[in-house]
Structure formats: C-alpha cells, structure tokens
Coordinates of all heavy atoms in Angstrom, one line a residue:
M26 N 25.8 -3.6 -13.3 CA 25.3 -3.9 -12.0 C 25.9 -5.2 -11.5 O 25.9 -6.1 -12.3 CB 23.8 -3.9 -12.0 CG 23.2 -3.9 -10.6 SD 21.4 -4.0 -10.6 CE 21.2 -2.2 -10.1
T27 N 26.4 -5.3 -10.3 CA 27.0 -6.4 -9.8 C 25.9 -7.5 -9.4 O 24.7 -7.0 -9.1 CB 27.9 -6.1 -8.5 OG1 27.0 -5.6 -7.5 CG2 28.9 -5.0 -8.9
P28 N 26.3 -8.7 -9.1 CA 25.3 -9.7 -8.7 C 24.6 -9.3 -7.2 O 23.5 -9.5 -7.0 CB 26.0 -10.9 -8.6 CG 27.1 -10.9 -9.6 CD 27.5 -9.4 -9.6
T29 N 25.5 -8.7 -6.5 CA 25.0 -8.2 -5.2 C 24.0 -7.2 -5.2 O 23.0 -7.1 -4.6 CB 26.2 -7.8 -4.3 OG1 27.2 -8.8 -4.2 CG2 25.7 -7.3 -2.9
G30 N 24.2 -6.2 -6.3 CA 23.3 -5.2 -6.5 C 22.0 -5.7 -7.0 O 20.9 -5.2 -6.6
I31 N 22.1 -6.7 -7.9 CA 20.8 -7.2 -8.4 C 20.1 -7.9 -7.3 O 18.8 -7.8 -7.2 CB 21.2 -8.2 -9.5 CG1 21.7 -7.4 -10.8 CG2 19.9 -9.0 -10.0 CD1 22.2 -8.3 -11.8
L32 N 20.7 -8.8 -6.5 CA 20.1 -9.4 -5.4 C 19.5 -8.4 -4.4 O 18.3 -8.6 -4.0 CB 21.1 -10.3 -4.6 CG 20.5 -11.1 -3.6 CD1 19.5 -12.1 -4.0 CD2 21.6 -11.9 -2.8
S33 N 20.1 -7.3 -4.1 CA 19.7 -6.4 -3.1 C 18.4 -5.6 -3.8 O 17.4 -5.4 -3.1 CB 20.7 -5.4 -2.7 OG 21.2 -4.6 -3.7
A34 N 18.5 -5.4 -5.1 CA 17.3 -4.8 -5.7 C 16.1 -5.7 -5.8 O 15.0 -5.2 -5.5 CB 17.7 -4.5 -7.1
L35 N 16.4 -7.0 -5.9 CA 15.1 -7.9 -5.7 C 14.6 -8.0 -4.4 O 13.4 -8.0 -4.2 CB 15.6 -9.3 -6.3 CG 15.9 -9.5 -7.8 CD1 16.5 -10.9 -8.0 CD2 14.8 -9.2 -8.6
V36 N 15.5 -7.9 -3.4 CA 15.0 -8.0 -2.0 C 14.2 -6.7 -1.7 O 13.1 -6.8 -1.1 CB 16.2 -8.1 -1.0 CG1 15.7 -7.9 0.4 CG2 16.7 -9.5 -1.1
V37 N 14.7 -5.6 -2.2 CA 14.0 -4.3 -1.9 C 12.6 -4.3 -2.7 O 11.6 -3.9 -2.2 CB 14.9 -3.2 -2.4 CG1 14.0 -1.9 -2.5 CG2 16.0 -2.9 -1.4
G38 N 12.7 -4.9 -3.9 CA 11.4 -5.1 -4.7 C 10.4 -5.9 -4.0 O 9.2 -5.6 -4.1
V39 N 10.8 -7.0 -3.4 CA 9.9 -7.9 -2.6 C 9.2 -7.1 -1.4 O 8.0 -7.1 -1.3 CB 10.5 -9.1 -2.1 CG1 9.7 -9.9 -1.0 CG2 10.9 -10.0 -3.2
V40 N 10.1 -6.3 -0.8 CA 9.5 -5.5 0.4 C 8.6 -4.4 -0.2 O 7.5 -4.2 0.4 CB 10.6 -4.9 1.2 CG1 10.2 -4.0 2.3 CG2 11.5 -5.9 1.9
I41 N 9.0 -3.7 -1.2 CA 8.2 -2.7 -1.8 C 6.8 -3.3 -2.3 O 5.7 -2.6 -2.1 CB 8.9 -2.0 -3.0 CG1 10.2 -1.2 -2.5 CG2 8.0 -1.0 -3.7 CD1 9.8 -0.1 -1.5
G42 N 6.9 -4.4 -2.9 CA 5.6 -5.1 -3.4 C 4.7 -5.4 -2.3 O 3.5 -5.2 -2.3
A43 N 5.2 -5.9 -1.2 CA 4.4 -6.3 0.0 C 3.8 -5.0 0.7 O 2.7 -5.0 1.0 CB 5.3 -7.0 1.1
L44 N 4.6 -3.9 0.7 CA 4.1 -2.7 1.2 C 3.0 -2.1 0.4 O 2.0 -1.6 0.8 CB 5.2 -1.7 1.5 CG 6.2 -2.0 2.6 CD1 7.3 -1.0 2.6 CD2 5.4 -1.9 4.0
G45 N 3.3 -2.2 -0.9 CA 2.3 -1.8 -1.9 C 0.9 -2.5 -1.7 O -0.2 -1.9 -1.8
R46 N 1.0 -3.8 -1.6 CA -0.2 -4.6 -1.3 C -0.9 -4.3 -0.1 O -2.1 -4.3 0.1 CB 0.2 -6.1 -1.4 CG -1.0 -7.0 -1.5 CD -0.6 -8.3 -1.9 NE -1.9 -9.2 -2.0 CZ -2.0 -10.3 -2.6 NH1 -0.8 -10.8 -3.2 NH2 -3.0 -11.0 -2.6
L47 N -0.1 -4.0 1.0 CA -0.6 -3.6 2.3 C -1.4 -2.3 2.3 O -2.4 -2.2 2.9 CB 0.6 -3.6 3.3 CG 0.2 -3.2 4.8 CD1 -0.5 -4.2 5.4 CD2 1.5 -2.8 5.5
F48 N -0.8 -1.4 1.6 CA -1.5 -0.1 1.5 C -2.5 0.1 0.4 O -3.2 1.1 0.4 CB -0.4 1.0 1.3 CG 0.5 1.2 2.6 CD1 1.8 1.1 2.4 CD2 0.0 1.4 3.8 CE1 2.7 1.2 3.5 CE2 0.8 1.6 4.9 CZ 2.1 1.5 4.8
A49 N -2.6 -0.8 -0.5 CA -3.6 -0.8 -1.5 C -5.0 -1.0 -0.8 O -5.2 -1.9 0.0 CB -3.4 -1.8 -2.5
P50 N -6.0 -0.2 -1.4 CA -7.4 -0.4 -0.8 C -8.1 -1.7 -1.2 O -7.8 -2.1 -2.3 CB -8.1 0.8 -1.2 CG -7.4 1.2 -2.5 CD -6.0 0.9 -2.3
G51 N -8.8 -2.2 -0.3 CA -9.6 -3.4 -0.7 C -8.8 -4.7 -0.8 O -7.6 -4.7 -0.3
R52 N -9.4 -5.7 -1.3 CA -8.7 -7.0 -1.4 C -8.3 -7.2 -2.8 O -8.9 -6.9 -3.8 CB -9.7 -8.1 -1.1 CG -9.2 -9.5 -1.1 CD -10.2 -10.5 -0.8 NE -9.7 -11.8 -1.1 CZ -9.3 -12.7 -0.2 NH1 -9.3 -12.4 1.1 NH2 -8.9 -13.9 -0.6
Q53 N -7.0 -7.7 -2.9 CA -6.4 -7.9 -4.3 C -6.3 -9.4 -4.5 O -5.7 -10.2 -3.7 CB -5.0 -7.3 -4.4 CG -4.9 -5.8 -4.2 CD -5.0 -5.4 -2.8 OE1 -4.5 -6.1 -1.9 NE2 -5.6 -4.3 -2.5
N54 N -6.9 -9.9 -5.6 CA -6.9 -11.3 -5.9 C -5.8 -11.6 -6.9 O -6.1 -12.0 -8.0 CB -8.2 -11.8 -6.4 CG -9.3 -11.7 -5.4 OD1 -9.0 -12.2 -4.2 ND2 -10.5 -11.3 -5.7
I55 N -4.6 -11.3 -6.5 CA -3.4 -11.5 -7.3 C -2.4 -12.4 -6.5 O -2.5 -12.5 -5.3 CB -2.7 -10.2 -7.8 CG1 -2.2 -9.4 -6.6 CG2 -3.6 -9.5 -8.7 CD1 -1.5 -8.2 -7.0
S56 N -1.6 -13.1 -7.3 CA -0.7 -14.0 -6.7 C 0.5 -13.3 -6.0 O 0.7 -12.1 -6.3 CB -0.2 -15.0 -7.7 OG 0.7 -14.4 -8.6
I57 N 1.2 -14.0 -5.3 CA 2.4 -13.4 -4.5 C 3.4 -13.1 -5.6 O 4.2 -12.1 -5.5 CB 3.0 -14.4 -3.5 CG1 2.0 -14.7 -2.4 CG2 4.3 -14.0 -3.0 CD1 1.7 -13.5 -1.6
L58 N 3.5 -14.0 -6.7 CA 4.6 -13.7 -7.7 C 4.3 -12.4 -8.4 O 5.2 -11.6 -8.7 CB 4.5 -14.8 -8.8 CG 5.5 -14.7 -9.9 CD1 6.9 -14.7 -9.4 CD2 5.4 -15.9 -10.9
V59 N 3.0 -12.1 -8.7 CA 2.6 -10.9 -9.4 C 3.0 -9.7 -8.3 O 3.5 -8.6 -8.8 CB 1.1 -10.8 -9.7 CG1 0.7 -9.4 -10.2 CG2 0.8 -11.8 -10.8
T60 N 2.7 -9.8 -7.1 CA 3.0 -8.8 -6.1 C 4.5 -8.5 -6.0 O 5.0 -7.3 -6.1 CB 2.5 -9.2 -4.7 OG1 1.2 -9.5 -4.7 CG2 2.8 -8.2 -3.7
I61 N 5.3 -9.5 -6.1 CA 6.8 -9.4 -6.1 C 7.2 -8.7 -7.5 O 8.0 -7.7 -7.4 CB 7.4 -10.8 -6.0 CG1 7.2 -11.3 -4.6 CG2 9.0 -10.7 -6.4 CD1 7.6 -12.8 -4.4
L62 N 6.6 -9.2 -8.5 CA 7.1 -8.4 -9.8 C 6.6 -7.0 -9.8 O 7.4 -6.2 -10.3 CB 6.3 -9.2 -11.0 CG 6.9 -10.6 -11.3 CD1 6.1 -11.3 -12.4 CD2 8.3 -10.5 -11.7
V63 N 5.5 -6.7 -9.4 CA 5.1 -5.3 -9.3 C 6.0 -4.5 -8.4 O 6.4 -3.3 -8.7 CB 3.6 -5.1 -8.8 CG1 3.2 -3.7 -8.3 CG2 2.5 -5.6 -9.8
G64 N 6.4 -5.1 -7.3 CA 7.3 -4.4 -6.4 C 8.7 -4.2 -7.0 O 9.3 -3.2 -6.8
V65 N 9.2 -5.2 -7.7 CA 10.5 -5.0 -8.3 C 10.4 -3.9 -9.4 O 11.3 -3.0 -9.5 CB 11.0 -6.3 -9.0 CG1 12.2 -6.1 -9.9 CG2 11.3 -7.4 -7.9
V66 N 9.4 -3.9 -10.2 CA 9.2 -2.9 -11.2 C 9.1 -1.5 -10.5 O 9.7 -0.5 -11.1 CB 8.0 -3.2 -12.1 CG1 7.7 -2.0 -13.2 CG2 8.3 -4.4 -13.0
A67 N 8.2 -1.4 -9.5 CA 8.0 -0.2 -8.8 C 9.4 0.4 -8.2 O 9.7 1.6 -8.2 CB 7.0 -0.3 -7.8
A68 N 10.2 -0.6 -7.7 CA 11.5 -0.1 -7.1 C 12.4 0.4 -8.2 O 13.1 1.4 -8.0 CB 12.1 -1.4 -6.4
F69 N 12.5 -0.2 -9.3 CA 13.3 0.2 -10.4 C 12.8 1.6 -11.0 O 13.6 2.4 -11.2 CB 13.5 -0.8 -11.5 CG 14.5 -1.9 -11.2 CD1 14.1 -3.2 -11.2 CD2 15.8 -1.7 -11.0 CE1 15.0 -4.3 -10.9 CE2 16.7 -2.6 -10.8 CZ 16.3 -4.0 -10.7
L70 N 11.5 1.7 -11.2 CA 10.9 3.0 -11.7 C 11.1 4.1 -10.7 O 11.5 5.1 -11.1 CB 9.5 2.7 -12.0 CG 9.0 2.0 -13.3 CD1 7.6 1.9 -13.4 CD2 9.6 2.7 -14.5
G71 N 10.8 3.8 -9.5 CA 11.2 4.9 -8.4 C 12.5 5.3 -8.4 O 12.8 6.6 -8.2
T72 N 13.4 4.5 -8.5 CA 14.8 4.8 -8.5 C 15.3 5.6 -9.8 O 15.9 6.6 -9.7 CB 15.8 3.5 -8.4 OG1 15.5 2.9 -7.2 CG2 17.2 3.8 -8.4
A73 N 14.7 5.2 -10.9 CA 14.9 5.9 -12.1 C 14.4 7.3 -12.2 O 14.9 8.2 -12.7 CB 14.4 5.0 -13.4
I74 N 13.2 7.5 -11.6 CA 12.5 8.7 -11.5 C 13.2 9.6 -10.5 O 13.6 10.9 -10.8 CB 11.0 8.6 -11.2 CG1 10.4 7.9 -12.3 CG2 10.4 10.0 -10.9 CD1 8.9 7.5 -12.0
V75 N 13.4 9.2 -9.2 CA 13.8 10.0 -8.1 C 15.4 10.1 -8.1 O 16.0 11.1 -7.7 CB 13.2 9.7 -6.9 CG1 13.7 10.5 -5.7 CG2 11.6 9.8 -7.0
G76 N 16.0 9.0 -8.3 CA 17.4 8.8 -8.1 C 18.3 9.9 -8.6 O 19.1 10.5 -7.9
P77 N 18.1 10.3 -10.0 CA 19.0 11.4 -10.5 C 18.7 12.7 -9.9 O 19.5 13.7 -10.1 CB 18.6 11.3 -12.0 CG 18.0 10.0 -12.3 CD 17.4 9.6 -11.0
L78 N 17.5 12.9 -9.3 CA 17.1 14.3 -8.8 C 17.7 14.5 -7.4 O 17.7 15.7 -7.0 CB 15.5 14.4 -8.8 CG 14.9 14.2 -10.1 CD1 13.4 14.2 -9.9 CD2 15.3 15.2 -11.1
R79 N 18.1 13.5 -6.7 CA 18.5 13.7 -5.3 C 19.9 13.0 -5.1 O 20.2 12.0 -5.7 CB 17.5 13.0 -4.4 CG 16.1 13.7 -4.6 CD 15.0 13.1 -3.7 NE 15.4 13.0 -2.3 CZ 15.3 14.0 -1.3 NH1 14.6 15.0 -1.8 NH2 15.6 13.7 -0.1
D80 N 20.6 13.6 -4.2 CA 22.0 13.0 -3.9 C 22.0 13.0 -2.4 O 22.2 13.9 -1.7 CB 23.0 14.0 -4.4 CG 24.4 13.3 -4.2 OD1 24.5 12.1 -4.0 OD2 25.4 14.1 -4.2
T81 N 21.8 11.8 -1.8 CA 21.8 11.6 -0.4 C 22.7 10.5 0.0 O 23.0 9.6 -0.8 CB 20.4 11.2 0.1 OG1 19.9 10.0 -0.5 CG2 19.3 12.2 -0.2
N82 N 23.1 10.5 1.2 CA 23.9 9.4 1.8 C 23.0 8.6 2.7 O 22.3 9.2 3.6 CB 25.1 9.9 2.6 CG 26.1 10.6 1.7 OD1 26.2 10.1 0.5 ND2 26.8 11.6 2.2
G83 N 23.0 7.3 2.6 CA 22.0 6.5 3.4 C 20.7 6.3 2.7 O 20.6 6.3 1.5
I84 N 19.6 6.2 3.5 CA 18.3 5.9 2.9 C 17.7 7.2 2.4 O 17.6 8.2 3.1 CB 17.4 5.4 4.1 CG1 17.9 4.0 4.6 CG2 15.9 5.1 3.5 CD1 17.2 3.4 5.7
D85 N 17.2 7.2 1.2 CA 16.5 8.2 0.6 C 15.0 8.0 0.8 O 14.4 7.2 0.1 CB 16.8 8.3 -0.9 CG 16.3 9.6 -1.5 OD1 15.5 10.3 -0.9 OD2 16.7 9.9 -2.7
W86 N 14.4 8.7 1.8 CA 13.0 8.4 2.1 C 12.1 8.9 1.0 O 11.0 8.3 0.9 CB 12.7 9.1 3.4 CG 13.5 8.6 4.6 CD1 14.7 9.0 5.2 CD2 13.3 7.3 5.3 NE1 15.1 8.2 6.2 CE2 14.3 7.1 6.2 CE3 12.4 6.2 5.0 CZ2 14.4 5.9 7.0 CZ3 12.5 5.1 5.8 CH2 13.5 5.0 6.8
V87 N 12.4 9.9 0.3 CA 11.5 10.4 -0.7 C 11.5 9.3 -1.8 O 10.3 9.0 -2.3 CB 12.0 11.7 -1.3 CG1 11.2 12.1 -2.6 CG2 12.0 12.8 -0.3
E88 N 12.6 8.8 -2.2 CA 12.6 7.7 -3.2 C 11.8 6.4 -2.7 O 11.1 5.9 -3.5 CB 14.1 7.3 -3.5 CG 14.3 6.3 -4.5 CD 15.7 5.9 -4.9 OE1 16.6 6.8 -4.6 OE2 16.0 4.8 -5.3
L89 N 12.0 6.2 -1.4 CA 11.2 5.0 -0.9 C 9.7 5.3 -0.9 O 8.9 4.4 -1.3 CB 11.7 4.7 0.5 CG 11.0 3.5 1.3 CD1 11.5 2.2 0.5 CD2 11.5 3.5 2.7
L90 N 9.3 6.4 -0.6 CA 7.9 6.8 -0.7 C 7.3 6.8 -2.1 O 6.2 6.3 -2.4 CB 7.6 8.2 -0.1 CG 7.7 8.2 1.5 CD1 7.6 9.7 1.9 CD2 6.7 7.4 2.1
V91 N 8.1 7.2 -3.1 CA 7.7 7.1 -4.5 C 7.6 5.7 -4.9 O 6.7 5.3 -5.7 CB 8.7 7.9 -5.4 CG1 8.5 7.7 -6.9 CG2 8.5 9.5 -5.1
Q92 N 8.6 4.9 -4.5 CA 8.5 3.4 -4.9 C 7.3 2.8 -4.3 O 6.6 2.0 -5.0 CB 9.8 2.8 -4.3 CG 11.0 3.2 -5.1 CD 12.3 2.6 -4.5 OE1 12.3 2.2 -3.2 NE2 13.3 2.4 -5.2
I93 N 6.9 3.1 -3.0 CA 5.7 2.5 -2.4 C 4.5 2.9 -3.1 O 3.6 2.2 -3.4 CB 5.7 2.7 -0.9 CG1 6.9 2.0 -0.2 CG2 4.4 2.4 -0.3 CD1 7.0 2.5 1.2
A94 N 4.4 4.3 -3.5 CA 3.3 4.7 -4.2 C 3.1 4.0 -5.6 O 2.0 3.8 -6.0 CB 3.3 6.3 -4.3
L95 N 4.2 3.9 -6.2 CA 4.1 3.2 -7.5 C 3.7 1.8 -7.3 O 3.0 1.2 -8.2 CB 5.5 3.3 -8.2 CG 5.9 4.6 -8.8 CD1 7.4 4.6 -9.3 CD2 5.0 5.0 -9.9
A96 N 4.1 1.1 -6.3 CA 3.7 -0.3 -6.0 C 2.2 -0.3 -5.7 O 1.5 -1.3 -6.1 CB 4.5 -0.8 -4.9
V97 N 1.7 0.6 -4.9 CA 0.3 0.7 -4.6 C -0.5 0.7 -5.9 O -1.5 0.0 -6.2 CB -0.1 1.8 -3.7 CG1 -1.6 2.0 -3.6 CG2 0.5 1.6 -2.3
V98 N -0.1 1.6 -6.8 CA -0.8 1.8 -8.1 C -0.7 0.5 -8.9 O -1.7 0.0 -9.6 CB -0.2 3.0 -8.9 CG1 -0.8 3.1 -10.3 CG2 -0.5 4.3 -8.2
G99 N 0.5 -0.1 -9.0 CA 0.8 -1.3 -9.7 C -0.1 -2.5 -9.2 O -0.6 -3.2 -10.0
V100 N -0.2 -2.6 -7.8 CA -1.0 -3.7 -7.3 C -2.5 -3.5 -7.6 O -3.1 -4.5 -7.9 CB -0.8 -3.7 -5.7 CG1 -1.8 -4.6 -5.0 CG2 0.6 -4.3 -5.5
V101 N -3.0 -2.2 -7.5 CA -4.5 -2.0 -7.8 C -4.7 -2.3 -9.3 O -5.7 -3.0 -9.7 CB -4.8 -0.5 -7.6 CG1 -6.1 -0.1 -8.1 CG2 -4.7 -0.3 -6.0
V102 N -3.8 -1.9 -10.2 CA -3.9 -2.2 -11.7 C -3.8 -3.6 -11.9 O -4.7 -4.2 -12.7 CB -2.9 -1.4 -12.5 CG1 -2.9 -1.8 -13.9 CG2 -3.2 0.1 -12.4
A103 N -2.9 -4.3 -11.3 CA -2.8 -5.7 -11.5 C -4.0 -6.5 -10.9 O -4.5 -7.5 -11.5 CB -1.5 -6.3 -10.8
G104 N -4.5 -6.0 -9.8 CA -5.7 -6.6 -9.3 C -6.9 -6.5 -10.2 O -7.7 -7.4 -10.3
R105 N -7.0 -5.4 -10.8 CA -8.1 -5.2 -11.7 C -8.0 -6.0 -13.0 O -9.0 -6.5 -13.5 CB -8.2 -3.8 -12.2 CG -8.7 -2.9 -11.1 CD -9.2 -1.5 -11.6 NE -9.4 -0.6 -10.4 CZ -10.6 -0.4 -9.9 NH1 -11.6 -0.9 -10.3 NH2 -10.7 0.5 -8.9
F106 N -6.8 -6.2 -13.6 CA -6.6 -6.9 -14.8 C -6.3 -8.4 -14.7 O -6.6 -9.2 -15.6 CB -5.6 -6.1 -15.7 CG -6.0 -4.8 -16.2 CD1 -5.5 -3.7 -15.7 CD2 -6.9 -4.8 -17.2 CE1 -5.9 -2.4 -16.1 CE2 -7.4 -3.6 -17.7 CZ -6.9 -2.3 -17.2
L107 N -5.7 -8.6 -13.6 CA -5.1 -10.1 -13.5 C -5.8 -10.8 -12.4 O -5.7 -12.1 -12.2 CB -3.6 -10.1 -13.2 CG -2.8 -9.5 -14.2 CD1 -1.3 -9.5 -13.8 CD2 -2.9 -10.2 -15.5
G108 N -6.6 -10.1 -11.6 CA -7.2 -10.8 -10.4 C -8.2 -11.8 -10.8 O -8.9 -11.6 -11.8
S109 N -8.4 -12.9 -10.0 CA -9.5 -13.8 -10.4 C -10.8 -13.3 -10.1 O -11.0 -12.6 -9.1 CB -9.2 -15.1 -9.5 OG -9.3 -14.9 -8.2
R110 N -11.8 -13.5 -10.9 CA -13.1 -13.0 -10.8 C -14.1 -14.1 -10.2 O -14.4 -14.9 -11.0 CB -13.6 -12.5 -12.1 CG -12.7 -11.4 -12.6 CD -13.3 -10.7 -13.8 NE -12.4 -10.0 -14.7 CZ -11.7 -8.9 -14.4 NH1 -11.7 -8.5 -13.2 NH2 -11.0 -8.4 -15.2
K111 N -14.4 -13.9 -8.9 CA -15.3 -14.9 -8.3 C -16.6 -14.2 -8.1 O -16.7 -13.2 -7.4 CB -14.7 -15.5 -7.0 CG -13.4 -16.2 -7.3 CD -12.9 -16.7 -5.9 CE -11.5 -17.5 -6.1 NZ -10.9 -17.9 -4.9
A112 N -17.7 -14.8 -8.5 CA -19.0 -14.2 -8.4 C -19.8 -14.9 -7.4 O -19.7 -16.1 -7.0 CB -19.7 -14.1 -9.7

C-alpha cells in the first residue's frame, strides 16, 4: 500500500468514525481518538468483508454502509467498555 493509500484510508476512517458516532444511539463518553480508531478499524474491516465480493468503479455504497454499520457497533461497544462512568 502506498503512503497516499494509507493517508486516504485514515481520512476515510476518521469520517466513518464520526458517522458511526453520529448514528450510534445515546451519548458516548469516549474520546475523539477512540472514535477515530474505531472508524479506521471499521473502514478496514468493511473493505475486507465487502471489497472482494463486489467490483465497482467509483464509490461502492454497499461497502460504505457496511463500514458505517461496523463503526456504529464499534462506537457502542467502546462506549460501554471504555466510556467514563459518571454517577
């Protein structure tokens, strides 16, 4: 993977993480760094799962939706395990 490819994957991961946090129900008490990491992992996993199954030119909307869904799940899980507990 080229440096440009890595940089673009990180940018997509940041956007996916932000969308995952936006669509996750309730309030998440996790840091921005955790949100970005969840987004990057979700972007890579979504590409690994859907990428070999589809051959498209341009934006693959199914892959994008899978990535966002994985990010929502990741943000919820991270919020439960890593979120600050204020009573």
Side-chain angles (χ1 to χ4, degrees):
M26 186 176 257
T27 64
T29 305
I31 293 171
L32 182 63
S33 63
L35 290 175
V36 170
V37 168
V39 169
V40 172
I41 295 294
L44 288 172
R46 191 167 181 161
L47 177 70
F48 292 126
R52 180 180 168 105
Q53 299 80 35
N54 291 322
I55 57 175
S56 69
I57 297 297
L58 181 61
V59 172
T60 302
I61 292 170
L62 290 175
V63 166
V65 169
V66 170
F69 280 120
L70 282 176
T72 300
I74 292 169
V75 178
L78 302 175
R79 300 177 52 88
D80 185 22
T81 60
N82 293 329
I84 297 174
D85 188 351
W86 295 104
V87 173
E88 183 177 332
L89 184 63
L90 289 174
V91 169
Q92 291 171 337
I93 293 171
L95 288 170
V97 168
V98 170
V100 165
V101 169
V102 169
R105 290 194 191 262
F106 289 109
L107 301 175
S109 61
R110 304 192 197 294
K111 296 179 182 176

